Amino acid sequence: MTAPRFTPPKHASYDVILIGGAMYGSSVAWWLTHLGFDGRILVVERDSSYSMCSTAHTNSCIRQQFSNEINVRISQFGADFVQNMRRHMGDDPEVPNLPIQSFGYMYLAETQAQADNLAQAQQVQADCGAGTRHMTAAEIKADYPFYNVDDIIAGNHNLIDEGYFDGGTVFDWFRKKARANGVEYVANEVVGLTLNPESTQVTGVTMATGQTVACGTVVNAAGPRAATVAAMAGIPLPVEPRKRFTFIFAAAERLDRDLPLTIDPSGVHMRSDGLYYMAGCPPDDDMAVDADDFAPDHGIWENKVWPVLAHRVPQFERIKLVNEWVGHYAYNTLDQNAILGPHPEVSNFIFVNGFSGHGLQQAPAIGRGTAEMIMHRGYRSLDLTSFHFDRIAQGAGFVEKAII
């Protein structure tokens, strides 16, 4: 492996330094410029190819099927942003509006407790204007005859603004527009943070190329490496890299309609993917891994995923694996939800971490909210204070039952 080719920043000080330049670093950077922030902004990205970041390995899905209202609202804004990106980005005719392939999520319940949770979540979603239906097994079978629902009690499904979108293009435009608006991007790695004597402010950010640059605000947008960055400021952060496996397969007998993004009670999920189908899951031993560990586990396909696919969709007994990859969740071990806002003691250290698989779909709303927090010390759109770091320090988890 060749050594990274890093470049130094152009200036000795910046008003905002974002550590990590993938979806969240670029979203926050663009929103800052879009909302009128007139300070100097630096984005530091250790992998300028972005080939190993979570953004590059995402399955690019969006859903309103959460059990907590704020998560529903965040994704509703995300759906609006994706489909009206040109308007949000100043009516630039080069910016595309992107479709959402709205085959929807299909959550399946095999126990009464699971069915009750789905019914409660559906009511929360309906109160927010989402189109989720709570369905009996017979209703599921009528709409999607290919499912085996012999062991299913109920399900939730939503065909409105829920499914797959082109997350890579959203990221490209966040980054492109941020740079066009004057944000400086450097290929470099943050190796240290300097705090003032009272440990209440980060005063300097040290690069792998040797420079220490002064900062007004530091944003931790380091994805699965977020805990390493937080530790540089003396802050413990319960975020770790965890592997997630994705498989692309062809079916000898194609289904006669789209396969919703099906959340099987086993923990395996599956969906249509153009001419093919996609499936994924966590490992059975879901533990932290090294941030550079993307080694596959071929036994997961044979022993875990394929048997579930064939059970839930009998036509998938004859399938062929076409491609596979491993990505990382930036996994919040406390409650699997975002960690946002300023640190209560190191007040200019801002978190956008711990999304645990929800990050891409939440990036438009949370990028906007984080920019608002930096500029105004408060939110002007959605109130995201439920996700603030304070709950981490108190060990008080944010309750969200719809975790994949």
Side-chain angles (χ1 to χ4, degrees):
M1 183 175 179
T2 59
R5 301 180 68 176
F6 289 155
T7 55
K10 295 177 182 178
H11 303 284
S13 66
Y14 294 84
D15 296 283
V16 177
I17 297 178
L18 295 118
I19 303 174
M23 183 60 100
Y24 272 91
S26 291
S27 175
V28 174
W30 176 76
W31 275 110
L32 281 168
T33 64
H34 181 68
L35 295 177
F37 184 76
D38 60 1
R40 187 179 288 159
I41 303 170
L42 176 69
V43 176
V44 185
E45 173 53 52
R46 66 186 302 277
D47 174 20
S48 58
S49 73
Y50 297 94
S51 60
M52 293 293 103
C53 66
S54 293
T55 300
H57 296 108
T58 178
N59 293 344
S60 290
C61 293
I62 188 165
R63 61 185 166 106
Q64 294 169 53
Q65 290 194 59
F66 289 93
S67 68
N68 193 291
E69 178 182 350
I70 187 59
N71 274 331
V72 179
R73 299 294 188 192
I74 286 168
S75 285
Q76 286 177 326
F77 178 74
D80 176 78
F81 186 92
V82 167
Q83 295 173 102
N84 299 285
M85 191 161 65
R86 180 178 299 156
R87 171 172 56 81
H88 284 288
M89 291 190 164
D91 293 314
D92 182 343
E94 293 188 7
V95 177
N97 292 321
L98 301 175
I100 293 175
Q101 305 297 328
S102 294
F103 41 63
Y105 280 60
M106 176 71 79
Y107 277 83
L108 299 176
E110 64 181 359
T111 68
Q112 191 58 53
Q114 292 170 354
D116 291 344
N117 283 338
L118 289 182
Q120 293 166 11
Q122 187 273 339
Q123 187 59 60
V124 171
Q125 295 151 28
D127 290 345
C128 294
T132 310
R133 295 172 59 203
H134 185 64
M135 306 171 70
T136 66
E139 289 171 329
I140 295 169
K141 187 72 172 179
D143 283 0
Y144 297 96
F146 50 72
Y147 283 129
N148 168 20
V149 294
D150 290 348
D151 55 347
I152 295 302
I153 294 175
N156 277 6
H157 189 218
N158 176 19
L159 286 169
I160 301 172
D161 293 344
E162 186 166 287
Y164 166 84
F165 72 104
D166 186 352
T169 295
V170 176
F171 163 55
D172 286 343
W173 278 101
F174 275 145
R175 182 177 51 161
K176 185 182 297 186
K177 283 293 190 180
R179 295 181 73 164
N181 290 347
V183 175
E184 180 185 345
Y185 278 68
V186 293
N188 213 314
E189 183 174 2
V190 172
V191 296
L193 300 175
T194 304
L195 275 65
N196 65 4
E198 298 78 22
S199 296
T200 58
Q201 295 273 302
V202 178
T203 58
V205 177
T206 301
M207 309 291 171
T209 44
Q211 301 83 6
T212 296
V213 293
C215 58
T217 298
V218 173
V219 180
N220 184 353
R225 300 176 186 271
T228 299
V229 171
M232 296 177 191
I235 301 168
L237 186 68
V239 175
E240 59 190 32
R242 292 199 182 185
K243 285 185 177 181
R244 291 297 180 266
F245 297 86
T246 298
F247 305 94
I248 305 296
F249 63 95
E253 300 177 69
R254 286 188 53 80
L255 306 179
D256 65 353
R257 64 202 74 187
D258 285 338
L259 173 64
L261 202 161
T262 306
I263 311 300
D264 191 82
S266 65
V268 172
H269 58 84
M270 65 189 93
R271 68 166 169 88
S272 289
D273 192 59
L275 296 175
Y276 299 104
Y277 299 94
M278 177 183 287
C281 67
D284 289 330
D285 187 13
D286 190 14
M287 304 295 289
V289 298
D290 187 271
D292 293 316
D293 179 5
F294 293 92
D297 182 343
H298 301 294
I300 286 181
W301 169 255
E302 292 285 343
N303 301 322
K304 181 175 183 178
V305 176
W306 194 348
V308 171
L309 301 181
H311 170 71
R312 188 59 58 212
V313 180
Q315 283 177 245
F316 286 167
E317 289 182 357
R318 296 175 59 217
I319 57 179
K320 179 182 179 181
L321 185 62
V322 174
N323 193 14
E324 62 182 302
W325 64 84
V326 177
H328 288 160
Y329 273 10
Y331 191 89
N332 172 359
T333 60
L334 176 65
D335 59 23
Q336 295 82 65
N337 275 274
I339 302 171
L340 307 178
H343 188 267
E345 296 173 5
V346 188
S347 60
N348 68 336
F349 189 95
I350 305 290
F351 300 90
V352 280
N353 304 120
F355 294 94
S356 307
H358 310 145
L360 218 71
Q361 64 185 294
Q362 296 187 326
I366 288 180
R368 178 183 63 176
T370 300
E372 292 169 350
M373 178 59 64
I374 293 169
M375 294 174 65
H376 308 300
R377 296 295 182 261
Y379 297 113
R380 299 295 176 88
S381 51
L382 292 174
D383 184 356
L384 304 177
T385 52
S386 297
F387 297 107
H388 275 199
F389 181 88
D390 303 34
R391 80 183 195 279
I392 304 299
Q394 297 162 8
F398 177 91
V399 178
E400 173 55 65
K401 297 179 181 178
I403 299 295
I404 301 174

